[in-house]
Amino acid sequence: MNFIEKLKGKKCLVIGAGITGMAVQKALSDFGAKVDIFDEKKSSQSGVVNTIPDEIDLAVVSPGWRLDHQVIKDLRISGAQIISEIDFAWEVKNVLAPNQKWIALTGTNGKTTTIKMVESIFNSANIKGKACGNVGETVIETVCRQEPLDYLALELSSFQIEWSNAAKFEAIALLNISEDHIDWHGTYEKYIAAKLKLVTHSKVKIANKSDPILATKLKNQEVIWFSLATPSKGELGLVEDLLIDRAFAGSKDHAHEIAELGDIKPSVPHNVSNALAAAALSLAIGINHKDIKAGLSKFTPDHHRMELVLEENDIKWIDDSKATNPHAAIASLLSNFNIIWIAGGLAKGASMDELVQRCSNRIKSVLLIGEDKELIADTFVKLSKSVPIKKFEKSTDSRQLMLEVVSHAKGIAVPGDTVLLAPACASMDQFVSYAERGELFSAAVRELAK
């Protein structure tokens, strides 16, 4: 009997009643399993329980549930098999689409943009493939399509990697690693280890040579490096205004043009780095340089990623609400000058020291919101006392809060300034999501600043 056949009549528990959990529940039900969903936060939802049923055979865990959560401990004691939603999708794939190949990437920042670049390259190359995982459809939904796809490009979080052991990849890319989700992993070292675990599950390993953590941790491994520097043999990089491949161009003595800087939108440094990673993943599965260039040139970033909302009276208003940690905010801040910076929210245990040290000379004023605004304010007081700081009290009316922030920014902005929402923090203390935070900012800008 194959994996799917063995599910029929099996007593299964899905941990988590979010988007992923509901998709897993549907798949298990379709395969004939008896399914309950456990979620302590959504116990009033139909079909969701907040206690563990007896005699569970298989538990499938959604992303974000800690390994030391009490329900996980109780399931282990009971003898239930526990797997991640990624490993569940992998086992299903091996039955429904055994020839389907997976590639994946992870990193603290740039994951969604890069994986969507890969999907754009798939489209240009007429490959039956799709981006999924932490973006768009869940992996199990994509695997269970009536007509199987040839390739899946997975965006994976540290949570998903930490939980997963079975999935194997044709190629993986590591974009960068900086402090994030320390509250979940416990320490920075454990967060790093979760990201690097992906390396052990792939045939081809691709990594950012400019990232100090990756350069140190992977220096003795067989890695295809990319960076914004001139590429050595076996690497991808930049030569003047060209993205160059010296890893997949036949002989390592040869170089091949991937794209021009003008093909990458926006052509700011961290986005060019994303494009090199997407190109490397695509080259690793045999896509040619011409199709990669076409896919990159057609790609435009999603909303809330360095999105120019308005340019009025020589003042730019930029929504980068997706910058939910200091590393992402640094990339935004270093891409602009004369910045009125809107920041704050949930810092998730991350330090703001590096951000202030590297970026304070570009910041004219700081407007702080959210739960951890004092953390950011204290860091400026410690490392850059000269930058003016304005704090906004926490509000239950998110729209009104953003109107107040934008109104204040309008009052102090002068021609040549950039008002930048790049919070360096998660949004859930005052907003439904980073998307809502960005939408309310954009709406306030259009209402007040035009």
Side-chain angles (χ1 to χ4, degrees):
M1 293 175 70
N2 63 41
F3 178 78
I4 291 177
E5 290 169 341
K6 290 177 182 177
L7 291 172
K8 190 169 184 178
K10 186 173 281 192
K11 198 167 182 182
C12 298
L13 183 67
V14 178
I15 310 296
I19 293 171
T20 299
M22 299 309 291
V24 171
Q25 186 269 344
K26 182 181 185 303
L28 285 167
S29 297
D30 289 347
F31 299 146
K34 300 173 182 177
V35 192
D36 285 306
I37 307 175
F38 173 89
D39 197 317
E40 57 200 354
K41 295 180 180 178
K42 298 186 179 181
S43 57
S44 61
Q45 188 173 319
S46 176
V48 178
V49 299
N50 60 4
T51 57
I52 303 173
D54 295 332
E55 299 176 357
I56 295 297
D57 298 310
L58 173 69
V60 184
V61 185
S62 302
W65 288 75
R66 291 171 59 109
L67 279 72
D68 60 357
H69 192 286
Q70 189 59 49
V71 70
I72 306 299
K73 292 179 179 179
D74 292 344
L75 284 166
R76 292 194 196 285
I77 291 170
S78 76
Q81 180 186 3
I82 306 173
I83 64 173
S84 72
E85 44 99 18
I86 297 296
D87 286 353
F88 173 67
W90 176 259
E91 298 295 350
V92 171
K93 178 217 70 103
N94 287 338
V95 179
L96 297 183
N99 296 322
Q100 185 181 87
K101 293 180 171 60
W102 289 11
I103 60 176
L105 63 81
T106 193
T108 304
N109 299 299
K111 296 186 294 295
T112 300
T113 296
T114 307
I115 211 71
K116 296 294 281 185
M117 285 178 170
V118 172
E119 186 174 68
S120 180
I121 292 167
F122 282 172
N123 293 337
S124 290
N126 292 316
I127 282 178
K128 288 172 60 180
K130 186 171 179 61
C132 60
N134 231 19
V135 60
E137 285 184 350
T138 62
V139 182
I140 189 62
E141 287 175 301
T142 313
V143 165
C144 291
R145 287 183 166 216
Q146 190 166 6
E147 187 176 337
L149 297 169
D150 294 329
Y151 284 94
L152 301 191
L154 277 66
E155 177 193 330
L156 296 177
S157 69
S158 59
F159 308 149
Q160 290 167 309
I161 301 167
E162 179 85 58
W163 267 108
S164 301
N165 297 295
K168 304 296 180 188
F169 302 95
E170 299 300 303
I172 63 95
L174 300 171
L175 304 181
N176 44 63
I177 299 180
S178 62
E179 281 192 347
D180 201 11
H181 300 301
I182 309 304
D183 52 349
W184 194 91
H185 290 279
T187 67
Y188 188 24
E189 282 301 319
K190 288 181 179 178
Y191 173 66
I192 293 169
K195 292 290 192 185
L196 294 179
K197 181 181 174 184
L198 198 57
V199 170
T200 64
H201 291 261
S202 181
K203 296 177 184 177
V204 179
K205 295 92 172 170
I206 299 158
N208 183 356
K209 193 175 184 180
S210 300
D211 185 273
I213 298 292
L214 295 174
T216 300
K217 297 285 186 180
L218 300 177
K219 64 181 178 181
N220 295 322
Q221 298 201 36
E222 188 175 337
V223 173
I224 292 172
W225 296 104
F226 65 92
S227 75
L228 300 182
T230 301
S232 301
K233 292 180 181 179
E235 298 179 358
L236 289 80
L238 283 183
V239 177
E240 296 180 349
D241 64 344
L242 299 177
L243 283 69
I244 296 296
D245 163 32
R246 294 192 68 188
F248 301 95
S251 166
K252 290 184 179 180
D253 290 325
H254 293 136
H256 203 296
E257 177 186 332
I258 301 167
E260 300 175 49
L261 279 179
D263 293 321
I264 314 303
K265 299 178 285 288
S267 57
V268 294
H270 68 278
N271 205 43
V272 176
S273 183
N274 293 339
L276 287 165
L281 279 171
S282 303
L283 288 163
I285 57 172
I287 300 177
N288 65 51
H289 296 88
K290 180 181 177 182
D291 287 333
I292 292 171
K293 178 182 173 69
L296 291 174
S297 66
K298 291 175 184 174
F299 175 78
T300 53
D302 287 344
H303 294 311
H304 317 301
R305 291 169 178 83
M306 293 192 69
E307 183 177 7
L308 180 62
V309 177
L310 181 69
E311 186 167 2
E312 189 87 359
N313 300 324
D314 199 25
I315 298 169
K316 293 180 180 178
W317 299 79
I318 294 176
D319 167 15
D320 197 14
S321 185
K322 185 65 169 65
T324 57
N325 57 60
H327 189 265
I330 287 170
S332 280
L333 289 163
L334 293 181
S335 299
N336 293 282
F337 294 94
N338 304 322
I339 299 164
I340 297 169
W341 182 40
I342 303 169
L346 294 171
K348 299 172 289 182
S351 167
M352 298 291 164
D353 287 16
E354 182 187 1
L355 184 152
V356 175
Q357 288 167 341
R358 293 182 61 186
C359 304
S360 61
N361 63 337
R362 294 178 180 238
I363 299 172
K364 290 182 60 177
S365 184
V366 182
L367 312 186
L368 295 177
I369 62 175
E371 190 77 25
D372 288 326
K373 60 178 175 288
E374 296 298 340
L375 169 68
I376 303 174
D378 290 347
T379 307
F380 273 93
V381 170
K382 178 176 68 173
L383 299 173
S384 186
K385 293 183 175 67
S386 62
V387 178
I389 296 170
K390 167 72 173 175
K391 302 174 192 175
F392 293 82
E393 290 304 314
K394 193 171 180 179
S395 172
T396 55
D397 188 336
S398 301
R399 177 182 178 276
Q400 185 59 38
L401 170 66
M402 201 56 85
L403 286 168
E404 291 174 14
V405 172
V406 168
S407 178
H408 184 85
K410 180 183 178 183
I412 61 175
V414 298
D417 286 352
T418 296
V419 181
L420 173 65
L421 173 69
C425 293
S427 59
M428 291 82 72
D429 57 334
Q430 292 186 278
F431 305 90
V432 172
S433 63
Y434 77 81
E436 186 197 44
R437 179 170 61 188
E439 286 157 8
L440 290 174
F441 169 76
S442 299
V445 169
R446 294 187 184 103
E447 180 178 337
L448 298 176
K450 195 165 180 60

